[in-house]
Amino acid sequence: MKRLALAMVVLSTFAFGFQPKEKPTFTKNVFPTLRRSCLRCHTGPLSKGNADLSKIKTEADAKKYSKMLKTSWKEMQKGTMPPQGERPVKPEHMKLFGDFVKTLK
């Protein structure tokens, strides 16, 4: 009986589309959010808040500028970025952004 119950749990997991959680990446999960909601104001030497997020194009750049990404994440969490009137970050994208930032040293 216990084996049957275990088999049902395992099979139902696959039946409902369980997929292992992927580790978020800069290219797949963070850069699209930056492009969509941040780079309009935070590009180049005259970037608002001296936060030139356009410098971050790769995983290696993300590590190099981890402090800037972590600050951006904190501002998103507080609701100050992106500012009102700009394209908001969807909750699922914020989660992936945060999950990625937490992997940075």
Side-chain angles (χ1 to χ4, degrees):
M1 188 68 164
K2 289 181 184 179
R3 287 185 184 177
L4 177 61
L6 179 61
M8 289 176 68
V9 169
V10 170
L11 290 174
S12 66
T13 300
F14 289 107
F16 291 108
F18 172 78
Q19 296 189 4
K21 185 177 175 182
E22 283 185 39
K23 180 181 170 188
T25 67
F26 176 78
T27 305
K28 183 177 177 185
N29 306 111
V30 175
F31 184 73
T33 299
L34 291 178
R35 184 179 59 230
R36 190 171 34 256
S37 301
C38 306
L39 292 180
R40 185 168 156 249
C41 298
H42 295 284
T43 299
L46 300 177
S47 295
K48 291 187 177 180
N50 293 323
D52 184 0
L53 297 170
S54 68
K55 293 178 181 179
I56 309 170
K57 297 179 175 110
T58 65
E59 299 274 337
D61 293 339
K63 289 176 184 170
K64 181 177 178 182
Y65 295 104
S66 64
K67 185 176 178 181
M68 193 182 325
L69 283 174
K70 288 176 183 180
T71 300
S72 299
W73 167 240
K74 287 177 186 174
E75 295 302 319
M76 282 185 215
Q77 286 183 302
K78 288 193 276 184
T80 57
M81 286 292 139
Q84 285 189 344
E86 296 297 329
R87 191 172 182 181
V89 178
K90 294 179 181 179
E92 60 269 23
H93 296 156
M94 282 186 67
K95 180 176 181 343
L96 290 167
F97 196 107
D99 289 347
F100 176 78
V101 165
K102 290 172 188 172
T103 68
L104 299 173
K105 302 271 184 222

